């Protein structure tokens, strides 16, 4: 059996089901466009934040070594995340309308695997580095505050990190997984139907 069946050509012969494949390819196109747009926005946001943090270091010249280490860890966290995240771009860009069903499935499964690595290992490292960096960065300035406000600042910062980690992160991961799992299952379903009809 040929594993590189062009399901679009076969599907076009089944005029009753034609809208299904067109709708699926449209969803795949939206997924690709949405993923690349999100990647561009994430790059702009994290690069701008890194530049701003480095500007603060240059302009205000912090005295404590802890502040400088905190800045380095924070920028390193963002650079590491972007380095891994941007590797997904090549997978998104190679999805086009001239591929076979197995090529679509292979690309989507590869993207899912990369996303899982990014969402687990890399995101965990990101938050560890970012949290440590912010705590070290804030130390010098917290010392200059009254004790109550210094502690309050740390509590707010750690509460925000916890909120992002325990609420926003799982919600975003679930949303991404739902999108890609839906596409994968639909392509697998079409693949199975075509193989059955051969």
């Amino acid at each position: 059996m040929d594993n590189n069946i062009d399901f679009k050509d076969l599907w076009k012969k089944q005029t009753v089901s034609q809208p299904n494949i067109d709708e699926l390819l449209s969803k795949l196109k939206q997924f690709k466009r949405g993923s690349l747009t999100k990647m561009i926005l994430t790059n702009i946001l994290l690069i701008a934040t890194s530049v701003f943090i480095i500007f603060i270091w240059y302009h205000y010249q912090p005295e404590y070594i802890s502040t400088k280490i905190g800045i380095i860890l924070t920028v390193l966290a963002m650079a590491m995340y972007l380095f891994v995240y941007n590797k997904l771009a090549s997978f998104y860009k190679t999805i086009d309308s001239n591929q076979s069903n197995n090529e679509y499935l292979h690309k989507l499964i590869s993207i899912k695997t990369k996303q899982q690595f990014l969402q687990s290992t890399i995101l965990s490292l990101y938050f560890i580095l970012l949290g440590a960096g912010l705590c070290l960065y804030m130390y010098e300035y917290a010392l200059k505050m009254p004790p109550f406000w210094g502690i309050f600042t740390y509590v707010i910062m750690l509460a925000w990190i916890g909120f992002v980690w325990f609420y926003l992160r799982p919600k975003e991961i679930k949303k991404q997984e739902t999108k890609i799992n839906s596409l994968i299952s639909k392509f697998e379903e079409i693949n199975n139907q075509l193989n059955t009809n051969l």
Side-chain angles (χ1 to χ4, degrees):
M1 184 178 294
D2 184 3
N3 290 328
N4 289 316
I5 302 163
D6 187 348
F7 70 94
K8 292 187 295 301
D9 287 342
L10 290 173
W11 211 258
K12 285 175 183 175
K13 297 175 184 176
Q14 303 179 29
T15 53
V16 176
S17 300
Q18 179 64 30
N20 293 335
I21 189 61
D22 289 338
E23 182 183 345
L24 183 54
L25 290 174
S26 176
K27 285 182 180 179
L28 181 63
K29 189 176 180 181
Q30 287 174 2
F31 171 75
K32 174 184 174 180
R33 185 170 53 245
S35 298
L36 287 172
T37 301
K38 183 181 174 185
M39 183 174 288
I40 291 167
L41 292 175
T42 302
N43 273 270
I44 292 170
L45 178 63
L46 292 186
I47 289 170
T49 304
S50 297
V51 169
F52 179 69
I53 291 171
I54 292 168
F55 169 77
I56 289 175
W57 183 355
Y58 174 77
H59 190 265
Y60 291 101
Q61 293 293 314
E63 299 173 9
Y64 289 23
I65 188 69
S66 59
T67 311
K68 296 171 185 176
I69 293 172
I71 290 173
I72 291 168
L73 288 178
T74 303
V75 173
L76 181 64
M78 296 179 188
M80 176 205 64
Y81 182 81
L82 287 179
F83 177 75
V84 177
Y85 186 36
N86 287 335
K87 287 187 175 182
L88 277 171
S90 61
F91 288 89
Y92 293 131
K93 288 176 181 176
T94 53
I95 295 175
D96 60 48
S97 59
N98 299 313
Q99 294 174 323
S100 68
N101 57 333
N102 279 350
E103 286 173 324
Y104 282 126
L105 280 171
H106 178 71
K107 295 286 183 192
L108 289 171
I109 291 169
S110 295
I111 289 170
K112 181 180 177 180
T113 303
K114 297 281 185 187
Q115 276 185 350
Q116 287 173 336
F117 175 68
L118 183 73
Q119 292 161 350
S120 57
T121 306
I122 298 302
L123 211 50
S124 297
L125 284 172
Y126 173 78
F127 271 92
I128 290 168
L129 289 171
L130 186 66
L134 289 174
C135 286
L136 287 169
Y137 174 76
M138 289 301 299
Y139 180 70
E140 178 177 343
Y141 306 106
L143 282 180
K144 297 175 182 178
M145 301 177 186
F148 172 80
W149 290 110
I151 293 169
F152 180 77
T153 301
Y154 268 93
V155 168
I156 292 297
M157 182 180 65
L158 293 174
W160 172 252
I161 291 173
F163 174 72
V164 172
W165 178 260
F166 292 109
Y167 179 74
L168 294 182
R169 182 187 65 91
K171 192 174 180 180
E172 182 61 22
I173 288 173
K174 186 175 181 180
K175 182 180 174 183
Q176 290 178 353
E177 285 181 345
T178 299
K179 283 182 182 178
I180 198 160
N181 285 339
S182 174
L183 285 169
I184 288 172
S185 66
K186 285 175 182 176
F187 276 110
E188 285 176 337
E189 182 182 345
I190 289 174
N191 191 27
N192 291 335
Q193 288 176 12
L194 290 173
N195 286 338
T196 301
N197 292 332
L198 290 180

